[in-house]
Amino acid sequence: MFTSKSNSVSPSPSLEQADSEALDISTKVQLYGVLWKRPFGRPSAKWSRRFFIIKESFLLYYSESEKKSFETNKYFNIHPKGVIPLGGCLVEPKEEPSMPYAMKISHQDFHGNILLAAESEFEQTQWLEMLQESGKVTWKNAQLGEAMIKSLEAQGLQLAKEKQEYLDKLMEETEELCLQREQREELERLNQVLEAEKQQFEEVVQELRMEQEQIKRELELTARCLKGVEQEKKELRHLTESLQQTLEELSIEKKKTLEMLEENENHLQTLANQSEQPPPSGGLHSNLRQIEEKMQQLLEEKLLAEKRMKENEERSRALEEEREFYSSQSQALQNSLQELTAEKQQAERELKSDQTARHGGCSHHEGKQQVCCIIDRHLLGAGAKSSPPGSKGKTQKQDVITPIHAH
């Protein structure tokens, strides 16, 4: 036989401690206290006080004096006066003439009903709830609960496996997103650099446009100068041609004058030989000197015109070279503007494409997180359903059950 101490379990907490300390059905009693009991199995109107203990699905009762020993030793005696199995029992309140707070326990296998009575309505309600909850613990319910627990455990393992797989995938995608975030930060830094370079490019473009406008104005001025030089060149050419024509006319006149002078000299020489007097030739020589002076003056004017024409040609050539230089520089500036514009558009397209890719990656990551949240909810639901039938009600009721002090 087992001794009373070795086979005993810890008692229920006191009335003051019941609200703050949970009851464990494997090591403690659910409820204890003194109730009135009428004899079982035989008609009798006599009521006697007994000390009752609810342990799991059994109702144990002792003599009233056992209550003091139970509260002192913190153990209950394993040899009660009687044991009532509560599994499958129907517990309900019953009105008795002398006991207003009576309770009836009935079962199809019992020979008659078991009548108990409390001292107050509060105690009656307390004992009714605990007796009804304890009556739910039956062999059939235990087998069903065990089957449900195994099924829910299998579902929980499967869900945990799926959750782990999703978590692994989520970790991989998180690492990928971290890498994408680093790339995004690098791209943002590059974007800032590109924005600064873009600003510089715009300033350079503005300067190039201003320089291009300046070159256009200088080209227009050069074109006007070239036009004036061409006009002056034409005038000088016309003047040169006129001087050349005048020189030719003076040369012909000089030739005629020389011929006339030679004829006169010959004629005068003949007359001089006949009369032996010097020939009067002063007028012709004076006329000849005037022609030579005039020709000399015309030659000097011609040389001056040719010199000016040469200077104009050199100036025209210099202006033409300057115009070609400005034209090439303007073309180079135009090409630079086109290249800068193309680079700017390419950079903007790349930034836009990268932002679109980052947005898609973030949406995919959020979808994975939602799937993991759903799995967590399934696991929590499986954990809640893994308790056997009747245990949920017991757990809820144990928070409010307090033992009854003897009056």
Side-chain angles (χ1 to χ4, degrees):
M1 294 295 292
F2 296 105
T3 63
S4 175
K5 187 173 182 180
S6 62
N7 290 278
S8 300
V9 295
S10 300
S12 172
S14 63
L15 180 63
E16 290 77 9
Q17 297 175 340
D19 293 336
S20 60
E21 184 177 343
L23 294 172
D24 187 350
I25 64 171
S26 64
T27 59
K28 298 180 181 180
V29 300
Q30 282 71 60
L31 188 62
Y32 69 89
V34 177
L35 296 174
W36 292 93
K37 180 183 79 66
R38 203 161 69 175
F40 307 146
R42 57 188 175 85
S44 175
K46 182 181 178 180
W47 291 82
S48 57
R49 291 171 63 86
R50 294 287 184 266
F51 177 62
F52 285 86
I53 292 177
I54 297 178
K55 173 64 177 174
E56 296 180 358
S57 62
F58 295 95
L59 179 62
L60 291 71
Y61 65 93
Y62 307 83
S63 63
E64 186 179 4
S65 61
E66 186 69 22
K67 179 177 182 295
K68 184 177 181 180
S69 176
F70 174 78
E71 292 178 345
T72 302
N73 299 327
K74 304 299 181 182
Y75 296 100
F76 66 87
N77 189 358
I78 62 173
H79 299 289
K81 281 182 170 293
V83 178
I84 303 171
L86 297 174
C89 289
L90 177 63
V91 182
E92 56 187 353
K94 182 176 176 59
E95 293 184 1
E96 290 291 328
S98 59
M99 295 294 176
Y101 306 112
M103 297 169 283
K104 182 180 73 173
I105 302 175
S106 60
H107 193 277
Q108 60 183 358
D109 296 334
F110 290 176
H111 296 289
N113 298 325
I114 301 172
L115 293 179
L116 305 175
E119 296 288 344
S120 65
E121 183 180 359
F122 174 75
E123 292 180 1
Q124 181 191 31
T125 303
Q126 195 176 32
W127 279 94
L128 281 173
E129 289 180 355
M130 184 53 65
L131 290 171
Q132 290 171 354
E133 292 296 329
S134 299
K136 295 179 181 178
V137 182
T138 62
W139 173 256
K140 183 178 179 181
N141 289 342
Q143 293 296 317
L144 180 61
E146 185 177 357
M148 291 179 64
I149 289 173
K150 291 181 179 179
S151 175
L152 292 173
E153 285 178 350
Q155 294 179 8
L157 291 174
Q158 181 65 25
L159 289 173
K161 182 179 178 181
E162 293 178 359
K163 177 186 176 182
Q164 187 61 38
E165 292 177 355
Y166 278 110
L167 285 176
D168 293 339
K169 292 181 181 178
L170 187 61
M171 288 299 295
E172 294 177 358
E173 294 182 358
T174 302
E175 293 176 357
E176 184 179 355
L177 286 176
C178 290
L179 180 60
Q180 291 180 358
R181 184 178 64 184
E182 293 176 357
Q183 293 177 353
R184 181 181 62 188
E185 292 175 354
E186 180 66 19
L187 287 173
E188 289 177 354
R189 187 185 66 80
L190 292 176
N191 188 17
Q192 293 177 357
V193 174
L194 288 175
E195 286 293 334
E197 292 181 356
K198 177 183 175 182
Q199 187 67 25
Q200 294 177 356
F201 285 160
E202 290 178 353
E203 293 176 358
V204 171
V205 167
Q206 188 66 23
E207 292 177 358
L208 291 176
R209 286 177 178 172
M210 293 175 63
E211 188 174 354
Q212 188 179 16
E213 293 294 329
Q214 182 66 24
I215 289 172
K216 286 182 179 179
R217 289 193 294 269
E218 292 178 356
L219 282 174
E220 292 175 357
L221 181 60
T222 303
R224 288 195 297 270
C225 292
L226 279 174
K227 187 174 181 181
V229 169
E230 288 293 332
Q231 185 66 27
E232 189 175 356
K233 185 177 178 182
K234 290 180 181 179
E235 293 177 356
L236 288 174
R237 187 179 292 112
H238 182 68
L239 179 60
T240 304
E241 291 175 357
S242 177
L243 291 173
Q244 185 66 29
Q245 185 178 359
T246 304
L247 285 174
E248 290 177 357
E249 292 176 356
L250 290 174
S251 178
I252 294 170
E253 186 177 355
K254 178 181 177 183
K255 186 176 180 181
K256 290 180 179 180
T257 303
L258 288 174
E259 290 177 354
M260 290 175 62
L261 182 59
E262 187 178 355
E263 290 177 358
N264 289 333
E265 286 180 354
N266 291 332
H267 183 67
L268 291 174
Q269 186 66 33
T270 304
L271 293 176
N273 290 331
Q274 292 177 1
S275 62
E276 296 181 356
Q277 293 180 359
S281 58
L284 291 173
H285 283 288
S286 176
N287 191 14
L288 183 60
R289 279 196 300 273
Q290 291 178 358
I291 291 173
E292 289 178 353
E293 290 174 359
K294 190 173 182 180
M295 287 183 67
Q296 184 66 29
Q297 184 180 0
L298 290 173
L299 285 173
E300 291 176 357
E301 291 180 1
K302 180 182 177 183
L303 291 174
L304 181 61
E306 290 176 352
K307 182 179 179 182
R308 288 180 62 187
M309 186 180 295
K310 186 176 181 181
E311 291 176 354
N312 286 334
E313 289 178 354
E314 291 177 355
R315 184 181 175 190
S316 176
R317 186 164 48 253
L319 290 173
E320 186 66 27
E321 292 176 356
E322 185 177 357
R323 186 178 67 83
E324 292 177 356
F325 171 74
Y326 283 141
S327 297
S328 61
Q329 192 173 3
S330 176
Q331 185 64 32
L333 290 175
Q334 190 68 26
N335 294 334
S336 299
L337 285 173
Q338 293 177 357
E339 291 176 359
L340 290 174
T341 303
E343 291 177 359
K344 176 183 173 184
Q345 293 175 354
Q346 180 66 21
E348 289 178 351
R349 285 195 297 269
E350 291 177 356
L351 287 174
K352 185 176 181 181
S353 175
D354 181 70
Q355 291 175 356
T356 304
R358 286 202 305 272
H359 180 71
C362 291
S363 299
H364 186 62
H365 181 65
E366 291 175 357
K368 293 292 183 181
Q369 287 181 340
Q370 291 176 359
V371 171
C372 286
C373 291
I374 292 172
I375 292 175
D376 287 335
R377 288 197 294 271
H378 281 295
L379 287 174
L380 291 174
K385 294 178 181 178
S386 62
S387 302
S391 63
K392 181 177 179 182
K394 289 182 181 180
T395 305
Q396 293 175 350
K397 299 298 180 182
Q398 285 170 1
D399 293 336
V400 298
I401 292 173
T402 56
I404 303 174
H405 290 280
H407 293 283

